[in-house]
Amino acid sequence: MVTAVLMSTVVMHRSFFQRRIKYQLVRNSDLLLRWTLVLVGLILIGTLGLVFDLVLGGWAGAVAAGAAALVLLLLWIVVPQRSRRLAVRRKLESST
């Protein structure tokens, strides 16, 4: 399923090619890629939780899944937003 969502961006690019509708292509592809990241994240969290659950027990699976969710949240949401904020601040400071 995740592969189908990801590959749909390629299909859209091919069908939008040379039709001068770049804005729609970029907007739709961005939305689909964001959904792909969410689905991949859920697969990673679920797989890690399942493996730890099977090997070490239920609590270990829950802790591992929670830790994976926290790491993904930090890496995919917090760090990019902070980096973007710093870049915008630097750009504003350099333009004045």
Side-chain angles (χ1 to χ4, degrees):
M1 183 65 170
V2 175
T3 305
V5 175
L6 181 60
M7 294 306 296
S8 66
T9 60
V10 175
V11 172
M12 266 199 308
H13 182 270
R14 297 307 313 150
S15 65
F16 284 29
F17 187 67
Q18 292 187 341
R19 296 184 195 259
R20 306 208 187 277
I21 48 179
K22 185 176 183 178
Y23 175 78
Q24 288 83 0
L25 172 65
V26 170
R27 185 174 174 158
N28 292 341
S29 295
D30 178 64
L31 180 64
L32 288 168
L33 288 172
R34 287 177 189 269
W35 274 107
T36 301
L37 282 174
V38 168
L39 295 171
V40 166
L42 291 173
I43 290 169
L44 287 171
I45 293 165
T47 302
L48 191 65
L50 177 64
V51 168
F52 272 78
D53 179 46
L54 293 174
V55 174
L56 299 174
W59 282 104
V63 170
L70 181 62
V71 168
L72 290 178
L73 177 74
L74 288 171
L75 291 176
W76 290 358
I77 296 175
V78 175
V79 171
Q81 285 183 353
R82 188 174 185 322
S83 297
R84 184 175 50 212
R85 239 183 290 125
L86 289 172
V88 168
R89 186 179 302 144
R90 284 187 196 129
K91 185 176 180 181
L92 289 174
E93 289 173 356
S94 69
S95 66
T96 58

